[in-house]
Amino acid sequence: MPAALRHDWNRDEVIALFDLPFNDLLARAHAVHAAHHDPNAVQVSTLLSIKTGGCPEDCAYCPQAQRYQTGVEAQKLMSVDDVLERARAAKAAGASRFCMGAAWREPKDRDIPKVAAIVRAVKGLGLETCATLGMLKAEHAQSLKDAGLDYYNHNLDSAPEFYGEIIHTREYQDRLDTLDHVRESGLKTCCGGIVGMGESRSQRAGLLQTLACLPEHPQSVPINMLVQVEGTPLAGIEKLDPFEFVRTLAVARLLMPESMVRLSAGREQMSDELQALCFFAGANSIFYGEKLLTTVNPDTARDRELFARLDLTPLQLEETSQTVHADIVEPARETSAASTA
Ligand code: SAM
Ligand code: DTB
Ligand code: SF4
């Protein structure tokens, strides 16, 4: 029988999980994964940057911060029609959730009705909706919920004691406050972080410990491998051992058994074999589509083939199960059959 969810992890307990022999950790994580989820189903979201670049914040990893010379051009908020066109394409390609990102510190009052109109239109296509717009006030969270938003993404990004080395323009507590507003409005929470920013194992444990000790486990937990972008302060930093990334996913699965754990940014730089290990360790969600916000994601043909080779199927939304996963399975099986014939 699945164990009760815990919210009282201490740091040493989480570090002890990281310190398990790799195979023992993966075996335990996979057992918990299979007890709570179909281990052959992966939730598929498509990401769109609806307002790109020009951000006043100083997040050391981010290509959209105005102060870094990364070549990302600042753009205005996209129109409802332009977003809808991209959402229709994402749905046709097999995504069940459409995630919209804006390079804002926080939305202004005047932005909320515009984003609400976008959310309403995308929701009308029968897609789940997610937005990530920066810090959020309680009344803004409520307006977005009323417009049909399902999830709000706001990451803790790192352990509390490492955060100050990465971001100076807002506090860890600001993030926790936004998460309170999101949860209290009835929105589902998507919250995770980034690894490979020069943090220690104890600090990776600290990120996961903080996530698991929130009043509710986030329904969706994106674990991003830092995508190093030229011009950002973190470009050129020593790369994290990929097996340590797998350990991070496995520990996330053990701490938050019912959450969807997303193998998030960084897949373009990963081998198929590494991604397969991530799915075994408990990852059951990805971003699908050739772009994340500003950086490259694996092309859809590669992902379709990977799903076919690993016998993975996209998790379907119950109410739209007949329509949402049109392309992602069938063409891949043909590709795979052709390549193994
Ligand atoms: N501006 C909003 C905010 O920061 O809350 C929303 C968009 S922001 C780009 C969303 C998340 O993307 C960040 O919290 C971070 O976790 C992730 N991210 C940004 N740049 C990244 C990178 N180079 N590699 C991995 N993850 C990244
Ligand atoms: C999340 O945790 N990762 C996504 C999504 N939430 C918004 C963003 C990844 C961004 C990677 C860098 C870029 O493409 O700009
Ligand atoms: Fe701005 Fe978000 Fe990038 Fe930070 S992560 S610089 S807040 S867009």
Side-chain angles (χ1 to χ4, degrees):
M1 213 185 51
L5 299 186
R6 282 185 56 189
H7 298 264
D8 60 351
W9 293 92
N10 68 45
R11 182 75 62 100
D12 287 344
E13 287 177 300
V14 182
I15 293 173
L17 293 174
F18 268 92
D19 287 347
L20 283 170
F22 187 76
N23 286 334
D24 292 345
L25 173 58
L26 258 61
R28 279 179 63 172
H30 189 78
V32 167
H33 187 43
H36 290 85
H37 304 269
D38 173 353
N40 305 309
V42 173
Q43 189 272 327
V44 171
S45 300
T46 291
L47 195 51
L48 176 68
S49 179
I50 60 170
K51 195 272 160 222
T52 303
C55 184
E57 301 294 278
D58 76 344
C59 312
Y61 47 76
C62 186
Q64 302 199 70
Q66 185 157 34
R67 65 191 73 203
Y68 311 136
Q69 307 305 311
T70 63
V72 171
E73 270 180 41
Q75 287 165 12
K76 291 198 174 124
L77 182 65
M78 288 173 70
S79 69
V80 176
D81 286 348
D82 287 350
V83 176
L84 259 187
E85 192 181 320
R86 302 291 289 273
R88 276 197 199 97
K91 182 177 176 182
S96 60
R97 190 179 308 164
F98 196 65
C99 306
M100 296 162 275
W104 284 324
R105 171 181 166 81
E106 61 199 324
K108 300 193 172 61
D109 288 346
R110 65 167 186 268
D111 297 321
I112 293 296
K114 296 182 200 165
V115 178
I118 291 173
V119 167
R120 213 171 279 119
V122 173
K123 183 77 182 163
L125 298 178
L127 284 161
E128 285 187 320
T129 53
C130 178
T132 179
L133 316 171
M135 295 187 289
L136 206 59
K137 294 188 185 121
E139 62 267 29
H140 290 172
Q142 197 56 58
S143 304
L144 294 171
K145 167 82 181 149
D146 294 345
L149 190 68
D150 295 303
Y151 289 81
Y152 194 79
N153 167 241
H154 197 65
N155 291 337
L156 290 178
D157 276 346
S158 68
E161 75 274 18
F162 186 66
Y163 182 86
E165 295 188 32
I166 302 296
I167 299 161
H168 311 94
T169 48
R170 61 178 133 154
E171 304 292 320
Y172 209 73
Q173 187 58 47
D174 295 326
R175 294 190 179 251
L176 294 168
D177 292 347
T178 288
L179 293 170
D180 285 345
H181 299 151
V182 167
R183 202 172 41 250
E184 283 158 13
S185 73
L187 286 164
K188 290 182 211 160
T189 305
C190 173
C191 182
I194 311 180
V195 296
M197 299 195 292
E199 75 286 342
S200 64
R201 176 175 278 185
S202 168
Q203 290 164 341
R204 283 186 284 283
L207 165 67
L208 298 183
Q209 178 199 3
T210 313
L211 290 167
C213 292
L214 289 170
E216 277 176 25
H217 293 171
Q219 283 81 5
S220 185
V221 180
I223 303 296
N224 297 277
M225 177 75 114
L226 174 70
V227 178
Q228 297 198 10
V229 178
E230 213 48 58
T232 61
L234 291 180
I237 195 170
E238 191 182 342
K239 298 229 166 74
L240 185 70
D241 176 358
F243 295 131
E244 186 67 13
F245 182 76
V246 178
R247 282 182 197 264
T248 309
L249 290 170
V251 176
R253 170 53 66 223
L254 288 171
L255 300 191
M256 295 167 280
E258 291 185 351
S259 302
M260 304 301 289
V261 174
R262 184 173 301 133
L263 165 53
S264 191
R267 287 197 305 117
E268 172 67 6
Q269 289 75 27
M270 292 178 196
S271 68
D272 291 348
E273 295 83 345
L274 175 58
Q275 293 187 59
L277 262 185
C278 293
F279 293 128
F280 186 80
N284 60 351
S285 170
I286 59 162
F287 284 122
Y288 175 70
E290 283 153 25
K291 212 166 176 199
L292 290 164
L293 291 171
T294 65
T295 65
V296 179
N297 201 36
D299 67 47
T300 51
R302 178 180 163 198
D303 276 345
R304 287 199 299 267
E305 189 167 357
L306 182 64
F307 270 48
R309 290 166 70 208
L310 299 178
D311 306 300
L312 296 174
T313 52
L315 195 69
Q316 298 172 43
L317 291 179
E318 275 161 31
E319 67 273 27
T320 51
S321 59
Q322 299 307 308
T323 52
V324 289
H325 75 310
D327 289 353
I328 195 165
V329 177
E330 300 311 328
R333 292 202 183 281
E334 283 161 23
T335 311
S336 166
S339 63
T340 53

